[in-house]
Amino acid sequence: MDSSSLKLTTFQRNVILCFSVLIIISWLSVNDASAYQRKVLFEDFTSTTCPPCGAFAETQEAYLEELGDAVVPIAFHVWWPGDSDPWWNDNQDDNRVRVQYYGVNSVPRLFCDGEYISNRNNMLNVIQSRSRVESPLEISLDGVSEDNNLTVNVIVSSDDDLDNLTLFVAITEEHVEYRAVNDWNDHYDAMVKMIPDAYGDDFNIGRQQTLEFEFSQNLDGLGWHELEQSNLILVCWVQDSGQEVLQAQNMFFTTIVQIDDCELSEANGNDDNRPEPGETIDMVVSLSVPENRKS
C-alpha cells in the first residue's frame, strides 16, 4: 500500500475532530453531577440564655436578609448556659439530636451546609461562596394545612447515583418577639418540630431518578406559645453520611405580597366613591412585601 494513501484529507480530519468533540461533550454531560442551583442550609445553634448569641443576632439577621433566597436558615436551641430557653424546653428531643449530630458543645455555633463556620463574622462570604457550587439534587417542597393537620410533600430529583442520604424536614417560626434573658428581643427561624423526628428519612437515589416523600404532622399543641400559620416556614434538606448538605429548600406559608391600601375614585358617577351599577370606578392599590425574611 502506498504510504500516501494513509494521509487524511482536511475534510476527513475535520469529521474525526467533530466526532471526538461530540464524544467528549457527551461524556462530560453524562458524568456531570452538578446540574442544579444550590440553596444553602444555615444552621444556628443558639440559646436565649447566651449573651454572645444575643450580641451577634442583629448582625446575623442582617447577613441573612442580604442572602435572601440563597439560604435556608434554621435555629436549634440548646440547654446551656441556662435551662430557661422556651424553644429548648418545648422540644428537647429534636434539638438534642441535632446538637449530638455535630457534637456541638458551645454557642453560638454556626454551620453552612454541614460545615462549621469557624469565624462567624465571615458567615456572609462563606454562604455566598457555597451558594455558587451547583448541587447534584433538586428539591421541590409543598405543604398543605387542613383542619390543623399538615401534609408535606417533598420531591427529590438527582443527577447522580447517590447512596446513604437522609432527608430532614422541619417546621420553623419566621419571627417571634420575646424578651430573653440575653436582652435580645427578635428571634428568627427557631425550630418548632422536625417531621417525623430529628433522625430523618434515609434513602438512596439513582442518576436521573425522582423520589417522592410524604409526611403528616398534627399542629395541635405544637410550640411553647400559640403558633400563627402565617409565621411558619417549612424547611427540608438532604444530608449525606459525611454530614455534607447536598441541597435545601423552604416554603413560606405567609403571602409574599400584601395589600396596604385601596383607594377608589369615580371616573363617571355620583362622586360617593363607591362602585354602583353603571358607574366607572378608578382603583389604586398599594402593595408591599412583608418585613422580616423574604423568600
Side-chain angles (χ1 to χ4, degrees):
M1 181 183 296
D2 193 316
S3 60
S4 61
S5 64
L6 296 176
K7 294 181 180 180
L8 299 176
T9 66
T10 300
F11 173 76
Q12 290 171 321
R13 285 197 298 269
N14 288 340
V15 169
I16 293 173
L17 178 61
C18 288
F19 273 111
S20 299
V21 170
L22 287 173
I23 291 171
I24 293 173
I25 291 175
S26 299
W27 183 87
L28 288 173
S29 299
V30 169
N31 289 274
D32 181 11
S34 300
Y36 303 110
Q37 177 66 44
R38 179 182 299 273
K39 292 186 73 166
V40 177
L41 181 73
F42 171 72
E43 294 172 274
D44 170 27
F45 289 84
T46 186
S47 172
T48 60
T49 68
C50 161
C53 299
F56 186 66
E58 185 173 1
T59 299
Q60 177 173 300
E61 178 57 22
Y63 287 158
L64 292 174
E65 290 284 355
E66 184 171 344
L67 288 161
D69 197 43
V71 65
V72 176
I74 185 169
F76 296 100
H77 285 244
V78 305
W79 57 96
W80 70 85
D83 60 0
S84 63
D85 185 299
W87 282 280
W88 155 252
N89 285 318
D90 180 67
N91 186 352
Q92 298 184 13
D93 291 343
D94 289 342
N95 282 303
R96 189 188 297 275
V97 168
R98 289 306 288 181
V99 165
Q100 294 173 342
Y101 180 81
Y102 289 115
V104 172
N105 56 16
S106 64
V107 287
R109 194 84 164 176
L110 313 179
F111 289 81
C112 169
D113 270 357
E115 286 286 333
Y116 169 53
I117 302 176
S118 58
N119 180 0
R120 58 180 177 265
N121 291 309
N122 196 36
M123 164 190 154
L124 181 63
N125 292 332
V126 170
I127 296 176
Q128 286 176 330
S129 177
R130 176 65 175 174
S131 70
R132 291 190 286 270
V133 180
E134 291 184 322
S135 169
L137 296 178
E138 183 178 50
I139 296 178
S140 174
L141 173 65
D142 186 39
V144 177
S145 177
E146 185 175 353
D147 296 329
N148 231 25
N149 288 299
L150 176 65
T151 300
V152 180
N153 292 283
V154 182
I155 300 175
V156 180
S157 301
S158 178
D159 198 53
D160 198 9
D161 294 318
L162 300 168
D163 295 328
N164 303 316
L165 305 182
T166 304
L167 172 65
F168 297 97
V169 180
I171 302 172
T172 68
E173 294 188 87
E174 182 180 5
H175 174 243
V176 174
E177 290 188 11
Y178 164 71
R179 196 64 185 178
V181 297
N182 64 0
D183 290 329
W184 183 243
N185 190 59
D186 297 290
H187 305 272
Y188 295 91
D189 309 306
M191 186 277 296
V192 175
K193 179 71 176 75
M194 297 195 69
I195 306 173
D197 54 39
Y199 295 101
D201 195 351
D202 297 334
F203 70 99
N204 302 322
I205 193 168
R207 186 189 304 275
Q208 306 303 321
Q209 185 179 7
T210 295
L211 298 178
E212 297 187 26
F213 303 82
E214 182 174 298
F215 306 93
S216 61
Q217 176 65 50
N218 190 298
L219 300 178
D220 289 331
L222 287 188
W224 62 271
H225 63 103
E226 186 175 353
L227 301 179
E228 297 180 13
Q229 182 167 308
S230 62
N231 190 47
L232 299 181
I233 305 173
L234 264 181
V235 173
C236 73
W237 67 95
V238 173
Q239 204 154 10
D240 68 15
S241 58
Q243 298 185 339
E244 180 185 0
V245 176
L246 302 183
Q247 185 65 285
Q249 189 57 265
N250 55 3
M251 172 197 161
F252 287 67
F253 282 98
T254 185
T255 53
I256 301 306
V257 177
Q258 64 188 19
I259 298 176
D260 291 333
D261 191 22
C262 179
E263 296 182 1
L264 300 178
S265 62
E266 295 187 24
N268 178 22
N270 59 8
D271 296 326
D272 62 356
N273 289 330
R274 64 181 183 183
E276 295 173 347
E279 294 183 345
T280 301
I281 297 293
D282 292 331
M283 181 170 64
V284 178
V285 179
S286 300
L287 304 175
S288 69
V289 177
E291 294 183 359
N292 302 327
R293 193 93 20 70
K294 298 127 184 129
S295 70

